[in-house]
Amino acid sequence: MAWCGPHPFLPVPVARLMGAMNVMNESLNTADTMIRRTSPEVLAPAGNLKSFKAAIDFGADAVYCSGKMFGMRSAPKNLSLEEIAEARDYAHARGARIYITCNILPRNEEIEGIREYIGQLADIGVDAIIVTDIGVMMMAHRIAPNMELHVSTQAGVTNWLAANELHELGAKRVVLARELSLDTVRGIRANVPDDLDIEAFVHGSMCMAFSGRCLISNYLTGRDGNHGECAQPCRWKYHLVEEKRPGQYFPIEETDKGSYIFNSQDMCMLEHVGDVIGAGVTSLKIEGRAKSVYYISAMTNAYKCAVNLCMEADDPRNVELPDWLKAEPYKVSHRDYSTGFWYPEHKVTQNADRNGYYRDWVLVGETRGWENGRLTFMGHNKITPGQTVEILRPGQPPVRIESADDSFLDADGVPVAAAAYPTRTFSMACPEPVADGLMMRSPAPNRTLKAE
């Protein structure tokens, strides 16, 4: 499927965007189902090489990650220069792209290190570097003129004038501030050049500070959020104490356990992907470089499937997603969801009574082969008779299995009551062939509320 020109049912900026999509790469991944396009792009996060490859395997058109220095997430392991080169090869062989973050607010003593780092990234041949600081941006433009420059959300781009000026300075893309509505984004798209990409967050954790520029962590803990070391004090419990009544805690809490007054809800725009595309966004960004491989795989798959369905429709804004797809965000760990600031009438709020993630599903295994109606897998968490198991597949609904009483065999073919041990090999009845290396999940016996 390819767009041949402006679409008759879309606003002018969107029709112009779709017309530009003649240059499409329709190569397929190993599942032979995921169409890759240059736009609109599904942009996935990765905190290590394994999650990077998983994001590509599950349909990401591009992946953003960080090296060991100068990125805004220090909690993940991040990638060495050698791993960045391997990630580049993996992505390019599959028609995808790699972006590296260099988006800290740098100090004087870091400038020479950043200069050397940019040169190394240029030598490796990454597709783009994501920057916040204007000085770093201009340095990168001089050192690596052929590498795309993407301006980070930390730069706080909220209007078309700022976007245009950054474009004049060499930016290929602006990552918009997260605080913008659909109407504002639509207005930016209508007033910037066709060749300026607009990237916007559609899923994941949100920060209580404007575009992530926050000093609370540095003030309270000495860990600088603007250097990727945020301790997330906005997720902590707080009480209000009046100056003349020391020790007397005032009842601002939602529960008797305290109040998490800065603890923002997560964003989920999966059911509104058509609106985002309709506003002229060319890259749909998923937050979560510190998330698990399972989380990144599942959410990349969900948004890629949603984008594909929208692009097959006459008008992407009128697409109703299938029920299995709408359920995907609730099968990974998450806070209560909102639509962020996209719809002013439904503004994001905070989870004031808790600070953890809901976890309703757990990873129970990884497929290792299928033959004669039996699935071999490596166990992660316990599977018992009668338990529902789903196998996550790129570009398709998950395979669903109901385990039977006599279903399980161990690695020697001996019947066992349950697949009860992690890292051990088991097999179970599975009527449908499945590929190797796929993740298996199951509803958690009890809903948990804890950190990712």
Side-chain angles (χ1 to χ4, degrees), residues 248-408:
Q248 182 176 345
Y249 297 102
F250 282 73
I252 62 168
E253 63 269 10
E254 294 287 325
T255 72
D256 59 2
K257 297 178 181 179
S259 179
Y260 302 86
I261 57 177
F262 305 123
N263 184 32
S264 176
Q265 293 173 326
D266 284 357
M267 182 195 297
C268 179
M269 287 291 287
L270 183 66
E271 294 186 49
H272 308 280
V273 162
D275 285 349
V276 177
I277 296 172
V281 173
T282 48
S283 179
L284 284 68
K285 188 170 193 173
I286 301 168
E287 184 276 337
R289 278 184 284 152
K291 297 290 189 179
S292 66
V293 174
Y294 166 64
Y295 179 102
I296 292 170
S297 301
M299 290 302 92
T300 300
N301 190 52
Y303 278 89
K304 184 62 178 180
C305 289
V307 167
N308 281 348
L309 289 172
C310 288
M311 297 312 298
E312 292 167 1
D314 290 335
D315 186 340
R317 297 167 296 178
N318 294 331
V319 172
E320 178 69 22
L321 300 183
D323 289 341
W324 76 265
L325 190 51
K326 290 191 284 189
E328 284 297 299
Y330 299 92
K331 294 181 178 180
V332 299
S333 60
H334 64 94
R335 300 181 184 91
D336 287 340
Y337 283 124
S338 75
T339 52
F341 294 90
W342 288 98
Y343 302 100
E345 66 274 22
H346 300 294
K347 289 184 178 179
V348 61
T349 59
Q350 70 270 37
N351 294 141
D353 60 341
R354 58 196 174 278
N355 72 337
Y357 294 85
Y358 292 123
R359 184 169 292 174
D360 298 304
W361 288 66
V362 294
L363 192 67
V364 293
E366 185 175 323
T367 62
R368 287 290 186 263
W370 183 94
E371 186 176 4
N372 298 326
R374 291 198 69 81
L375 172 68
T376 301
F377 64 94
M378 183 183 72
H380 282 261
N381 283 291
K382 187 175 183 179
I383 309 176
T384 57
Q387 192 168 333
T388 298
V389 175
E390 289 187 350
I391 302 172
L392 190 65
R393 301 182 295 176
Q396 304 174 67
V399 175
R400 194 175 181 92
I401 308 169
E402 303 294 338
S403 58
D405 291 344
D406 58 351
S407 186
F408 302 106

Side-chain angles (χ1 to χ4, degrees), residues 28-34 36 56-58 90 94 394 435 438:
L28 301 178
N29 73 353
T30 54
D32 291 330
T33 55
M34 304 299 281
R36 298 196 186 281
I56 299 295
D57 292 343
F58 278 88
Y90 195 86
R94 292 158 178 78
L438 299 180

Side-chain angles (χ1 to χ4, degrees), residues 126-159:
V126 303
D127 295 291
I129 182 172
I130 305 170
V131 301
T132 297
D133 184 79
I134 190 69
V136 173
M137 175 180 165
M138 302 313 296
M139 178 196 294
H141 191 51
R142 290 189 293 269
I143 294 172
N146 295 323
M147 186 166 58
E148 287 186 12
L149 299 175
H150 297 180
V151 179
S152 172
T153 189
Q154 269 82 21
V157 175
T158 61
N159 60 76

Side-chain angles (χ1 to χ4, degrees), residues 49 52 62-68 79-92 96-102 114 116-131 140 143-150 172:
L49 191 58
F52 184 99
V63 180
Y64 68 102
C65 51
S66 179
K68 298 293 186 180
L79 281 69
S80 66
L81 291 173
E82 292 77 14
E83 288 173 326
I84 291 173
E86 184 177 343
R88 171 212 59 201
D89 291 343
Y90 195 86
H92 288 180
R97 287 159 47 97
I98 175 173
Y99 309 148
I100 300 296
T101 63
C102 188
I114 292 175
E116 180 181 0
Y117 182 54
I118 291 172
Q120 292 168 332
L121 295 177
D123 291 340
I124 290 172
V126 303
D127 295 291
I129 182 172
I130 305 170
V131 301
I143 294 172
N146 295 323
M147 186 166 58
E148 287 186 12
L149 299 175
H150 297 180
K172 177 64 174 65

